[in-house]
Structure formats: C-alpha cells, structure tokens
Amino acid sequence: MKSYLLLFTVILFSGVAGAQQLPARWDELVASDFSQALQKSSKTCILPIGILEKHGPHSPIGTDLIHVREWAARAVKAEYAVVFPDYFYGQINEARHQPGTFALPSKVIWELLEATCDEIARNGFDKIVILNGHGGNPEFIRFFMQSLLNKRHNYAVYFYQPQNDKEFTDQYLKMHQSDPQNDQHAGEGETSTLLYYRPDLMRMDRAASQSGANQHRLNLPNVYTPIWWYAAYPNHYAGEGAKASNQLGKFTTDHEIASFVSALKAIKADTVTLQLQKEYFDKVDSLNK
C-alpha cells in the first residue's frame, strides 16, 4: 500500500510541476510570475507581427499571423522569451480589394507599433524582437526602427531578418516543385509551411481554382509605383499552392525555427546595443548644452 501511495504522490507532484511550468505567452502568464518571466527571458520580448489578408483561395486569411505565432511558440521551447499576443496591424493596403483584409491607416499602424513597444518596455523588457511573417511589412518596419533614433528610448528593438545558407537553399530547391521565381504569396513555399503547421485550416482542393501567375500588366523599367503588385497579381495570389507538401513545410519550418533560436540566444546575451544607444543619445543631448 505504501508503495502505491508513494507512486501516486510522485505522479501528483510531477503533474503539478508540469502544470506550473512558466508560460512563454504574455497573455498566459499570471501577474505574480511576471518578474520570473522577465528574469528568465533576460528582459526579452518577441513581438510576432502577422497580417489579415487573402492567401489564395486555399490558405487562411490569418496565414502570416498563424505562421509567426507557431514559429515563436516552437522557438521559445528551446530558448525562453516572452511572446507578445497576436499582433496583426501592419502594412497591407495592396490587398484592400480582397475580402477579409484588415488594413488600418498608415498613421495608425505607426503609432500603434510605437505605443506597443513603449508599453512592452514599461512592463520591464529592454529588448524587443520583431518576428515578421508578412512580405509587405519589412520596409515599414525598417523605417519605423530608424525613426526610433528621433528620441531616447530605454529599450532596443531588433528586427529578425533570416538569411538562408547554401546548404538549405540547395535542398529546398531540390524539394520545390513549382517555379521559385514566382513563388511569393500563398504559393508552394508558404502553403507548405501552413500545411505543416496547421493542416486543419487548409483547403487544398481549392488551391488551383484561381491563377497565381504574374499578369505582367505594367511595364515601367526602373520606376516604382504602388499599384505594381495589383498589376502583376490581381488575385492577390502569386505561385502554385497546389504543389505544396507537408514534407517541404517540415523542412522549411525546422530550419526557420533553428535559425531564429540561434538569433534569439545572441539577442538575449547582447549588452552592446543598449550601451551604444545610450552613448548615441548622450552625444545628441550634448549638442544642446
């Protein structure tokens, strides 16, 4: 009897310990654990930014959001950081003609991102890592970050920008079935990622029901116009999602998670960026004295 009671006690306490494991998601933490999360994360918070837009006729509107949510959730199992809740306020004006698109005015998304970073910092984080899942966001994010130098901040923002090595690229191209040059939005690559992360949300029987080919409706060499994307891809679909595979999705996500974990470790250990920011702002302030 004693042995059974001992076994039951071990199982009970091991279950409690598992249930009390420190969550990584901000919204799943209890307030009394927040200081522990700050310490464990080295005051590092991941801000995954997605978007709400059409992703072909087969992939969910929140594909980019789901992608970064799953990406961050898996990465922090290997390297702990606090993950900010779902954030889908980015630049997506080019998809306003499609149902389900959530596009706020430029001024609003700018001010909201700055206010969000300020509020994350007010809660004790001094490192904010932007993990972006939407191809239309990088220009906006980079300009936003450069503008942070307009005034002193007590936190640093890092924009993770993955670079694929030759070994990965060579293997990826071997597994890839469609034309890589046109595989941009809801095509084989992106569809494969979602097919691996959330197969329950995919409608693969519809993937070939619309064209994802470049329509080449505008030809202005060395000239940029904001209507360029619509001119090329009026269906807001670029590629061949029907050729996606779970195998390509797993290969891609395994690599992207490992790469982000490596960057996250470096960011958590970084002491130079904040030091240089302080030095920079001290010099800026000294000009007014």
Side-chain angles (χ1 to χ4, degrees), residues 170-247:
D170 289 346
Q171 183 59 34
Y172 179 83
L173 292 176
K174 285 180 183 178
M175 300 175 71
H176 204 274
Q177 299 298 309
S178 61
D179 178 8
Q181 298 297 319
N182 196 48
D183 186 16
Q184 299 182 64
H185 180 70
E188 181 184 354
E190 189 170 30
T191 298
S192 294
T193 297
L194 259 288
L195 197 57
Y196 177 72
Y197 276 143
R198 292 297 305 273
D200 56 307
L201 299 177
M202 306 303 287
R203 304 293 182 263
M204 294 304 296
D205 58 318
R206 306 174 194 172
S209 65
Q210 293 180 356
S211 172
N214 189 336
Q215 303 299 307
H216 298 287
R217 299 189 297 167
L218 191 63
N219 183 24
L220 295 170
N222 303 317
V223 174
Y224 179 87
T225 171
I227 206 67
W228 75 272
W229 177 261
Y230 177 75
Y233 304 102
N235 290 328
H236 204 61
Y237 181 19
E240 297 179 74
K243 294 186 177 179
S245 69
N246 184 278
Q247 292 77 16

Side-chain angles (χ1 to χ4, degrees), residues 120-218:
I120 289 173
R122 189 186 65 80
N123 277 277
F125 297 97
D126 58 16
K127 296 175 182 177
I128 300 172
V129 186
I130 294 179
L131 184 64
N132 175 54
H134 171 53
N137 272 341
E139 291 84 357
F140 160 62
I141 293 172
R142 292 189 194 101
F143 186 46
F144 165 78
M145 290 181 65
Q146 288 304 123
S147 299
L148 290 174
L149 295 178
N150 280 328
K151 62 181 180 181
R152 188 185 292 269
H153 293 83
N154 61 347
Y155 60 86
V157 179
Y158 303 78
F159 179 24
Y160 175 63
Q161 301 177 90
Q163 300 293 323
N164 294 325
D165 56 76
K166 186 178 185 301
E167 182 180 355
F168 169 81
T169 301
D170 289 346
Q171 183 59 34
Y172 179 83
L173 292 176
K174 285 180 183 178
M175 300 175 71
H176 204 274
Q177 299 298 309
S178 61
D179 178 8
Q181 298 297 319
N182 196 48
D183 186 16
Q184 299 182 64
H185 180 70
E188 181 184 354
E190 189 170 30
T191 298
S192 294
T193 297
L194 259 288
L195 197 57
Y196 177 72
Y197 276 143
R198 292 297 305 273
D200 56 307
L201 299 177
M202 306 303 287
R203 304 293 182 263
M204 294 304 296
D205 58 318
R206 306 174 194 172
S209 65
Q210 293 180 356
S211 172
N214 189 336
Q215 303 299 307
H216 298 287
R217 299 189 297 167
L218 191 63

